[in-house]
Amino acid sequence: MSVRWETEGLQTVGIVCLVIMFLKLMHLLGLIDITETDSSDSDLELSTVRHQPEGLDQLQAQTKFTRKELQSLYRGFKNECPSGLVDEETFKTIYSQFFPQGDATTYAHFLFNAFDIDRNGSIRFEDFVIGLSVLLRGSVTEKLNWAFNLYDINKDGYITKEEMLAIMKSIYDMMGRYTYPCVRDDAPSEHVDKFFQKMDKNRDGVVTIEEFIETCQKDENIMNSMQLFENVI
């Protein structure tokens, strides 16, 4: 499979890549397949792990998943992550398995930080399932807020050209030889310029969350990409 970078809708590249790569990671972790659960997982208890997740009722209140879905998600998570936690190196290792043709470590770093809500260097089941709930069951605004948080690398409430360029370069590094036609060295910079031409309404050199959401909601390509999250589980 190859990925062709079209001249229109370039601002959707990051969002589309986020969807596709995130779903691949879910598949690897066994989080997409919903099967019948047994009572041993009903309270999300696992005596041998270092981290005990929050109670099922609390997670059900915090997310848009049913009890059965949470049970299945937890079973897949604990099978791949028996410690109950995922550190960044493990996350990068899992993620990179899908992209042997490129280098996914930098993009995986950005994605890890988006899930690591409390910035403690590890992703708990709660972190993962709350983010998953937003991406799969959240409103368009909630999904766009999550995407904005991914692009806002230093979490100061703005996307700068430097941050967006880092994201775009990491996507190109990750896709490697699967990009078609072959990527020019200046292609990421060109895409960032197009992104800012469309998103930066007041031309102050940064994109705010308000500018990001307003522009995305008016863009048919971006709205279509948001639908890729739906009906996965």
Side-chain angles (χ1 to χ4, degrees):
M1 179 184 71
S2 63
V3 176
R4 185 181 182 90
W5 305 113
E6 301 293 348
T7 57
E8 297 182 356
L10 293 174
Q11 71 279 3
T12 69
V13 168
I15 293 176
V16 172
C17 282
L18 170 63
V19 179
I20 296 171
M21 310 322 159
F22 181 73
L23 295 182
K24 286 184 176 182
L25 178 62
M26 288 170 55
H27 176 72
L28 177 62
L29 289 175
L31 300 181
I32 292 179
D33 184 26
I34 296 295
T35 56
E36 292 299 319
T37 62
D38 55 43
S39 60
S40 63
D41 288 329
S42 61
D43 293 323
L44 294 180
E45 293 179 352
L46 187 60
S47 60
T48 60
V49 302
R50 294 200 313 267
H51 172 73
Q52 292 288 339
E54 296 171 359
L56 183 60
D57 291 339
Q58 185 174 350
L59 282 176
Q60 195 169 353
Q62 290 178 303
T63 67
K64 297 181 181 180
F65 292 125
T66 67
R67 187 181 189 90
K68 181 181 291 187
E69 288 170 336
L70 285 168
Q71 290 168 342
S72 182
L73 289 169
Y74 181 63
R75 186 169 58 252
F77 189 90
K78 76 177 184 181
N79 285 342
E80 294 294 332
C81 314
S83 70
L85 299 167
V86 181
D87 62 26
E88 184 169 344
E89 290 307 309
T90 301
F91 188 87
K92 288 178 179 178
T93 299
I94 293 172
Y95 207 74
S96 295
Q97 291 179 33
F98 287 109
F99 306 99
Q101 78 288 345
D103 181 359
T105 55
T106 303
Y107 188 81
H109 166 74
F110 295 140
L111 191 55
F112 179 89
N113 286 342
F115 277 102
D116 184 14
I117 299 173
D118 52 11
R119 304 286 180 264
N120 67 353
S122 61
I123 298 174
R124 306 169 302 161
F125 176 70
E126 298 94 311
D127 298 331
F128 198 86
V129 80
I130 288 171
L132 187 63
S133 176
V134 170
L135 292 172
L136 300 185
R137 304 282 170 81
S139 65
V140 168
T141 300
E142 289 172 333
K143 293 173 183 177
L144 291 174
N145 267 290
W146 200 95
F148 183 91
N149 180 61
L150 172 69
Y151 302 150
D152 179 17
I153 296 173
N154 66 0
K155 313 306 178 193
D156 66 351
Y158 303 94
I159 300 174
T160 65
K161 284 191 174 183
E162 291 76 16
E163 287 174 322
M164 200 64 202
L165 182 59
I167 293 288
M168 290 305 305
K169 285 182 175 178
S170 73
I171 291 172
Y172 278 114
D173 289 343
M174 177 174 60
M175 297 309 298
R177 67 172 182 268
Y178 278 13
T179 55
Y180 176 81
C182 294
V183 178
R184 304 187 318 276
D185 290 341
D186 59 351
S189 181
E190 288 183 4
H191 285 184
V192 171
D193 288 341
K194 289 181 180 294
F195 175 91
F196 270 79
Q197 286 172 12
K198 189 159 190 173
M199 296 278 181
D200 184 12
K201 299 297 187 181
N202 62 1
R203 300 295 183 260
D204 63 351
V206 297
V207 174
T208 65
I209 183 64
E210 293 80 13
E211 290 173 322
F212 183 78
I213 291 177
E214 179 184 355
T215 305
C216 288
Q217 288 180 332
K218 294 178 180 178
D219 189 291
E220 183 178 354
N221 292 328
I222 295 177
M223 290 299 95
N224 289 338
S225 74
M226 290 292 98
Q227 296 176 4
L228 295 175
F229 288 111
E230 298 174 359
N231 302 317
V232 175
I233 62 174

